[in-house]
Amino acid sequence: GSEIEGIVKRESSKVMSYRAQQTALIHAVELLDKYAPAKSKLLSAKPELEVDVLLEDAEQEAALKLAASIAAGDEQIKRLAAEQSRLRGVAEALAPWKTLDMPLETEGTERCSVIMGSLPAKVSAGEVEAAIGAATEEAELFVVSEDKSQRYILIVCLRQELAAVQEALRPFSFSAASLGGMKGTAAQCIAEAENAQRECAEQREQAKKNIVD
């Protein structure tokens, strides 16, 4: 009984392995359909084969290697697309600060603090300036840019007045800029992100060619 069970388990394992291989081949053909309508001859007929035919196929190993290569190429394309999307988001987030000629990592000096962030467009800069002025005379507000929904501002104040300035900003729905890890000016960071996007695009095209070839 145990011997028969062992044989059945081995055969079942083989069939599962063959089914997995067949699934890999089907997936590879689907990817070829996606990237190149003219399918590779080595793979085009595989999905229709039954398991017993697949077992006897002399091209099986080459087909599986090609299928694995195609799947790896597709994963690389997905990773590059995700990175492109991230870089696009970085460039868009930095666009309002493009004219600011100050390194984004600047947090101030020993005596001064720098606050960067945005206000709703409906909030006037003058109103915010007046509130900050009431809290401390040692602060200055600069409007960097604005669009339909937001006004992007920079505030310089004495370090010991930082808490008072932050408290004065609270009623105006001020949102601090999230630029952690950025180095250089916004314009420099945008240029770097755009260059990296182009590199990703080139690598994606090369990966697609590798799949098709």
Side-chain angles (χ1 to χ4, degrees):
S2 59
E3 186 178 345
I4 292 173
E5 282 180 15
I7 293 171
V8 170
K9 282 182 181 178
R10 282 197 298 275
E11 291 306 312
S12 296
S13 178
K14 283 181 184 178
V15 170
M16 286 177 67
S17 174
Y18 297 140
R19 288 295 182 193
Q21 291 171 359
Q22 192 177 33
T23 299
L25 294 172
I26 292 170
H27 182 54
V29 172
E30 289 171 349
L31 291 175
L32 282 175
D33 278 338
K34 177 181 175 181
Y35 296 112
K39 291 188 257 182
S40 165
K41 290 180 182 178
L42 185 59
L43 291 178
S44 60
K46 295 298 173 185
E48 288 74 34
L49 294 180
E50 295 299 328
V51 172
D52 56 345
V53 178
L54 192 62
L55 301 184
E56 299 165 5
D57 193 345
E59 294 179 337
Q60 177 188 355
E61 189 176 345
L64 288 170
K65 281 185 179 178
L66 181 56
S69 174
I70 290 169
D74 181 56
E75 285 301 313
Q76 182 187 16
I77 289 167
K78 287 177 181 175
R79 285 195 301 272
L80 288 166
E83 179 62 6
Q84 269 186 293
S85 179
R86 186 191 72 79
L87 290 165
R88 197 176 301 116
V90 167
E92 288 173 0
L94 291 174
W97 307 100
K98 191 172 183 178
T99 59
L100 184 63
D101 189 21
M102 181 189 82
L104 297 175
E105 68 269 28
T106 303
E107 295 181 353
T109 64
E110 188 178 339
R111 295 186 65 247
C112 293
S113 288
V114 173
I115 306 170
M116 293 171 62
S118 60
L119 298 163
K122 63 183 179 182
V123 176
S124 76
E127 191 180 357
V128 177
E129 240 176 341
I132 292 173
T136 174
E137 295 180 356
E138 306 297 338
E140 192 165 357
L141 181 151
F142 303 90
V143 176
V144 178
S145 69
E146 52 190 74
D147 55 35
K148 289 180 181 178
S149 60
Q150 300 287 315
R151 183 171 284 109
Y152 302 88
I153 63 171
L154 178 145
I155 299 167
V156 180
C157 67
L158 286 180
R159 194 164 288 281
Q160 65 263 30
E161 301 294 341
L162 177 60
V165 171
Q166 289 172 328
E167 188 60 33
L169 288 170
R170 197 183 300 277
F172 300 103
S173 301
F174 174 77
S175 177
S178 180
L179 303 172
M182 300 285 182
K183 291 190 176 181
T185 66
Q188 289 170 337
C189 291
I190 289 170
E192 288 172 10
E194 288 174 346
N195 287 336
Q197 279 187 73
R198 282 191 287 272
E199 287 176 13
C200 282
E202 289 170 7
Q203 289 174 29
R204 278 180 72 187
E205 286 307 310
Q206 186 57 54
K208 288 177 184 178
K209 286 179 183 177
N210 292 344
I211 286 176
V212 174
D213 292 345

